[in-house]
Amino acid sequence: MTPDLIVVGCGFYGATVAERAASELALSVLLIDRRDHIGGNAFSETDPETGIEIHRYGPHLFHTSNEAVWRYLQRFARFTGYRHTVYARHRGATYPMPINLDTMSRFFGKAMSPDEARQLISVQTAEPGIAASGNLEDKAISLVGRPLYEAFIRDYTWKQWQTDPRTLPESIITRLPLRFTFENRYFADTYEGLPESGYTQLFARMLDNPRIAIRLGVDYLALRHQFQPEVPVIYTGPIDRFFAGSQGWLRWRTVDFEKEIIDTEDYQGCAVMNFSDRDVRYTRSVEYRHLYPERRYVSKRTIVVREFPREAAPSDEPFYPVGATEDREIYSRYRALSAKHPNVLFGGRLGTYRYLDMHQAIASALKAFETVLKPWFQNGRTGPLKRGPEGGQS
Ligand SMILES: Cc1cc2nc3c(=O)[nH]c(=O)nc-3n(C[C@H](O)[C@H](O)[C@H](O)COP(=O)(O)OP(=O)(O)OC[C@H]3O[C@@H](n4cnc5c(N)ncnc54)[C@H](O)[C@@H]3O)c2cc1C
């Protein structure tokens, strides 16, 4: 049977569009993913040896201040009260992140009031000539001062980009959060938490509709010729792959994950520990049992996953867009080309070549559904699905 709508990619963007189209418009949807599971990068699974739930593509912490997105997700899952905190290890000591009054007091070895800390930082950020050079190092020093930069940002950035921060553009860090309070919650959003039964279960609930047919382990690009060209497509794969790299390949960064099962119930006392110094090769370690403290896992062992970022090769998972000027130029050429495919809507982080948090991917998908898909289906399916490269959506 010919579907009314084809959705490529079963991450938050694709799943949201598929769910809306099937539930609200009663459309038959074919949802395709080249991976062998639903959930995209938010996929979670239970480790068979320990029973601990892990996130295969790195820890995914849900947070949003978008009321509509939060309400939408409540239909498919209850959320825990998890509040994310992060610590950083530097020269044998541990500090809360992002840098706050507690971090500064410990680092400078004296209790400080907010005004005293502000005063200290304003002296340290006032290095002559520092703000103007255009590189990441000088920009960071102009924001937090040299001592905090050298302790918590310089080597971490080296490891993230495998490059001297003095050769990186300042645009990578337009702002660095520096808090002059003891607030140590990592996110400042109104809503935060994790799906009680995990992300994969949340996706299963979203897609539990007889109108949605799911095909996993299938690359849409290998079989797109089989589909009628007039059937609209929501494409959330990499936009450069859609066009076979005709305008050049967009650069991404990826992460190698090294998983270790350790014979202790608690290895690091928190979910995420950053490692700020160069002599530790990984950027951070994630101990997954801390994401669900209320579950009381019975295993006497724990799982720690260490992260090693690097530039992505074509066969790697694309995680973070490099987004340098030349990448942005290539992307704008693909956007222009996409206007020649009026029935294909490019969405999600890979389709629009930008980093999106989960709540942003969902918000963008809800908007595309309301402003592009719904009117098109309700107005008799005539004319092009979208006007302009991305149908006017953001
Ligand atoms: C390491 C890491 C940590 C993150 N942590 C957080 C976090 O803590 N909080 C947060 O809010 N966000 C986080 N994110 C961002 C989050 O992963 C994204 O918001 C989310 O993945 C966006 O959903 P999406 O649908 O756009 O993309 P994806 O989830 O990537 O889904 C796209 C899907 O398309 C499929 N696909 C691609 N090409 C094809 C093709 N040709 N045929 C068929 N299928 C195809 C892919 O297999 C993939 O499953 C993190 C991202 C990374 C990389």
Side-chain angles (χ1 to χ4, degrees):
M1 194 188 82
T2 306
D4 297 311
L5 176 68
I6 295 169
V7 177
V8 182
C10 192
F12 266 117
Y13 192 101
T16 302
V17 170
E19 186 283 326
R20 290 289 67 223
S23 303
E24 193 174 330
L25 302 180
L27 299 175
S28 71
V29 180
L30 176 60
L31 178 57
I32 301 173
D33 204 298
R34 66 189 174 89
R35 291 170 170 163
D36 62 1
H37 58 74
I38 59 174
N41 266 14
F43 174 66
S44 62
E45 58 192 333
T46 301
D47 170 70
E49 275 185 68
T50 59
I52 295 170
E53 183 163 337
I54 57 174
H55 300 166
R56 190 181 289 181
Y57 306 97
H60 276 65
L61 297 319
F62 191 83
H63 58 98
T64 186
S65 294
N66 185 322
E67 179 80 33
V69 167
W70 182 248
R71 263 192 283 115
Y72 175 66
L73 284 184
Q74 304 307 303
R75 300 181 198 179
F76 314 109
R78 284 155 52 122
F79 278 70
T80 69
Y82 179 77
R83 296 286 175 269
H84 193 48
T85 53
V86 174
Y87 291 85
R89 194 78 60 81
H90 167 63
R91 294 201 183 148
T94 304
Y95 301 88
M97 291 281 124
I99 299 169
N100 60 49
L101 203 48
D102 193 13
T103 323
M104 291 185 256
S105 298
R106 292 189 209 187
F107 182 72
F108 293 113
K110 57 178 175 192
M112 281 183 283
S113 70
D115 283 347
E116 286 167 338
R118 270 199 195 88
Q119 172 62 25
L120 178 69
I121 296 301
S122 74
V123 171
Q124 294 183 346
T125 53
E127 267 189 43
I130 230 41
S133 78
N135 74 48
L136 187 149
E137 174 162 301
D138 289 350
K139 176 76 177 179
I141 293 171
S142 77
L143 293 170
V144 303
R146 189 175 288 277
L148 290 172
Y149 164 73
E150 289 184 348
F152 299 113
I153 297 162
R154 184 184 58 195
D155 292 7
Y156 194 84
T157 308
W158 256 100
K159 292 192 284 186
Q160 268 185 318
W161 292 88
Q162 297 165 302
T163 305
D164 187 333
R166 285 172 296 193
T167 64
L168 289 168
E170 66 174 27
S171 55
I172 293 177
I173 48 149
T174 43
R175 54 183 282 276
L176 280 174
L178 202 58
R179 296 180 185 161
F180 294 99
T181 66
F182 287 104
E183 174 60 64
N184 74 337
R185 264 182 68 184
Y186 197 74
F187 301 114
D189 278 315
T190 315
Y191 304 106
E192 187 179 349
L194 293 168
E196 257 180 27
S197 304
Y199 285 102
T200 301
Q201 191 59 29
L202 181 154
F203 277 93
R205 287 283 305 278
M206 284 177 91
L207 302 173
D208 183 17
N209 185 321
R211 294 196 177 90
I212 302 176
I214 303 176
R215 287 183 67 183
L216 298 174
V218 172
D219 188 335
Y220 164 77
L221 297 177
L223 48 82
R224 59 177 147 181
H225 58 276
Q226 295 177 8
F227 301 110
Q228 320 268 9
E230 57 277 8
V231 178
V233 176
I234 307 298
Y235 178 84
T236 73
I239 191 166
D240 52 355
R241 281 199 67 223
F242 185 92
F243 293 105
S246 63
Q247 306 301 308
W249 296 106
L250 293 163
R251 287 177 309 152
W252 291 84
R253 299 197 59 76
T254 193
V255 177
D256 291 325
F257 299 107
E258 255 182 41
K259 177 177 147 193
E260 189 184 2
I261 298 182
I262 300 172
D263 281 329
T264 176
E265 281 184 51
D266 193 350
Y267 177 73
Q268 63 185 26
C270 64
V272 174
M273 181 70 75
N274 289 353
F275 288 83
S276 306
D277 303 333
R278 281 277 286 290
D279 53 353
V280 178
R281 278 183 43 249
Y282 42 93
T283 47
R284 59 179 190 170
S285 63
V286 180
E287 188 172 10
Y288 276 96
R289 72 184 312 141
H290 290 291
L291 295 183
Y292 285 100
E294 70 285 356
R295 282 190 188 169
R296 298 199 180 84
Y297 290 118
V298 291
S299 175
K300 299 280 177 225
R301 298 192 293 164
T302 193
I303 297 183
V304 171
V305 178
R306 302 188 177 90
E307 298 189 357
F308 300 80
R310 62 176 170 81
E311 183 150 336
S315 56
D316 289 320
E317 289 292 347
F319 278 170
Y320 303 104
V322 171
T325 310
E326 55 273 31
D327 299 296
R328 289 201 297 272
E329 281 164 10
I330 293 172
Y331 175 63
S332 64
R333 293 205 289 274
Y334 284 124
R335 263 181 66 105
L337 268 188
S338 74
K340 297 194 177 133
H341 294 259
N343 276 359
V344 181
L345 195 75
F346 294 83
R349 63 185 196 95
L350 300 167
T352 59
Y353 190 59
R354 60 193 164 144
Y355 179 82
L356 292 176
D357 270 331
M358 292 180 279
H359 67 102
Q360 293 169 316
I362 297 164
S364 172
L366 290 173
K367 186 173 172 196
F369 175 75
E370 288 297 331
T371 60
V372 182
L373 277 178
K374 197 162 132 183
W376 189 78
F377 278 105
Q378 288 181 334
N379 293 332
R381 310 182 183 205
T382 52
L385 176 67
K386 58 177 194 183
R387 292 172 217 291
E390 284 172 31
Q393 58 152 329
S394 58

